Amino acid sequence: MKFQNKSWIEVSADSDFPIENIPFGIILPDGYKPQVATRIGNTAVSLSVLSDYGYFDDLNIDDMSVFCEPVLNGFMALGKKQTEAVRKRLMELFNHNNSQLRNDRGVVDNALFAISEVEMLLPVKVTDYTDFYSSIEHATNVGKMFRNPENALLPNWKHLPVGYHGRSSSIVVSGTGILRPNGQLKPNDTGRPVFGPTKQMDFELEMAFITGKQTLLGESIATENADEYIFGMVIFNDLSARDIQKWEYVPLGPFLSKSFGSVISPWIVTLEALAPFRVEGPKQNPPVLPYLQTKGPENIDINLEVLLQPLHKNPDTICRSNFKYMYWNMRQQLAHQTVNGCNINVGDMYASGTISGTEPGSYGSMLELSWRGEKPLKLSDGSNRTFINDDDTIIMRAHCQKEGLRVGFGESVTKILPAKKN
Ligand code: CA
């Protein structure tokens, strides 16, 4: 297999954004309006400008105005046939053998921006948000800590992808600072709850998929058709306040402990760009019900990394994990979400749940890395962490790599700011 096609736009060997990726996002260049864009190497390319100059005229796009919208919902709603045609057109235009755009200097000057010169905006209006709990290692670790090590998984866990409906309004783009939340805490040694800032600020290393096709109420999506509905993926940092969570979650699940901010990477990498990295998922035993059965390589080999950076210090890598560990795959999650006839929309976000591996260094949350505070992490500046301090920055990275081809997501970066005084 021959990878690494060349582009006339510079792409370094370790870039997440070679010509084979072509993700979609929303850029805000200084002095312009938000516009639909892609990224190659460290260059953002405005699809709004390319469409104005007729570069997509022969692609039978129903509505060209989608390229100047401030979110990708309209673009995604064109359907995969058209969005993939745009992606393929961009690959042609960026190819080093193609001089059409390269020599069109007026357009190049208007459409290409150094990535450092554009602000990245939240790429979608998030219509609904579901948070799954699909890593067996994470669910087992949490079950061991909070319940019984002998029966860490609850009886339903291997029969359905457990999830809950989250809050879409507080999903924000990488670079957004998040305030440490205030809430009700109940220290073990007191009878009544107290109010104050969380003392157990945590992240959850997750990936999320975004749907680009809707269903009507009453319809269900079969596992074999799920890929038609999944537009692409982003990194998802599901910030969590563990002490608030512990007190509030009974009996309906997490509420305010999870809804004060979740931070995504700005470029949506399409399912098609991720296709070369498909791998078989873990064997599911006991066998799942027929509506959840899938065939072939259901999972995706995505290397994941979390770094923690104290203020004015160097970042330390504190976790390395992989999306391929997920027990429940995205096709099963979407089939389960809709099996009761629940309708989905263009712009829905479905987070995987914390992605932990089998080794302690692969756990995807501070809760697990520090084993509920019992094993503090030592950072290279000499300080220790059991949870996240104010002014710490959490950096999540994700990329696929195979036979010389690298396709990645860039970063989700989140600085935790001191709680508001009440
Ligand atoms: Ca979560």
Side-chain angles (χ1 to χ4, degrees), residues 129 131-132 164 204 206 238 258 353-354:
Y129 158 49
D131 190 16
F132 285 101
Y164 70 94
E204 290 189 329
E206 308 194 21
D238 190 22
K258 303 272 191 173
T354 306

Side-chain angles (χ1 to χ4, degrees), residues 99-315:
S99 58
Q100 187 188 4
L101 176 62
R102 179 188 207 163
N103 292 344
D104 201 347
R105 295 312 305 182
V107 180
V108 167
D109 287 347
N110 280 309
L112 274 59
F113 299 89
I115 201 73
S116 55
E117 287 173 4
V118 297
E119 186 184 339
M120 295 306 305
L121 303 184
L122 187 69
V124 287
K125 177 172 169 43
V126 184
T127 39
D128 247 317
Y129 158 49
T130 295
D131 190 16
F132 285 101
Y133 189 56
S134 290
S135 153
I136 195 166
E137 288 81 8
H138 173 68
T140 303
N141 284 338
V142 174
K144 276 186 197 166
M145 270 184 256
F146 290 99
R147 286 185 302 273
N148 176 359
E150 304 306 312
N151 292 300
L153 291 179
L154 289 167
N156 61 1
W157 200 90
K158 285 188 167 181
H159 295 282
L160 55 85
V162 169
Y164 70 94
H165 284 109
R167 182 88 191 161
S168 54
S169 66
S170 52
I171 296 174
V172 293
V173 75
S174 175
T176 310
I178 299 292
L179 294 168
R180 176 178 297 267
N182 287 302
Q184 283 202 24
L185 320 168
K186 190 171 174 296
N188 289 330
D189 53 352
T190 62
R192 289 165 62 96
V194 297
F195 183 80
T198 175
K199 294 183 173 66
Q200 297 185 340
M201 181 74 200
D202 202 355
F203 59 82
E204 290 189 329
L205 170 62
E206 308 194 21
M207 297 295 295
F209 70 85
I210 295 152
T211 45
K213 185 177 175 181
Q214 67 167 23
T215 57
L216 300 176
L217 188 64
E219 292 180 350
S220 305
I221 300 172
T223 51
E224 59 265 34
N225 298 329
D227 288 3
E228 282 174 37
Y229 292 82
I230 300 173
F231 179 79
M233 297 177 71
V234 291
I235 304 168
F236 194 96
N237 180 357
D238 190 22
L239 293 164
S240 301
R242 299 299 179 191
D243 39 8
I244 298 174
Q245 183 179 352
K246 188 176 169 224
W247 171 229
E248 75 173 1
Y249 88 100
V250 185
L252 292 185
F255 189 34
L256 306 186
S257 56
K258 303 272 191 173
S259 61
F260 58 91
S262 302
V263 186
I264 67 168
S265 53
W267 295 103
I268 304 181
V269 177
T270 65
L271 212 53
E272 288 68 29
L274 297 168
F277 309 99
R278 287 272 185 190
V279 289
E280 298 269 340
K283 187 163 171 48
Q284 294 181 317
N285 190 19
V288 298
L289 286 167
Y291 82 93
L292 289 168
Q293 286 169 7
T294 52
K295 283 196 213 85
E298 309 91 341
N299 281 24
I300 306 178
D301 183 354
I302 308 175
N303 300 292
L304 306 169
E305 187 181 24
V306 184
L307 299 94
L308 186 60
Q309 182 172 28
L311 190 64
H312 307 312
K313 298 283 169 41
N314 292 323

Side-chain angles (χ1 to χ4, degrees), residues 334-349:
L334 200 52
H336 185 65
Q337 176 82 56
T338 58
V339 75
N340 64 346
C342 174
N343 49 329
I344 67 160
N345 280 302
V346 174
D348 285 0
M349 205 167 276

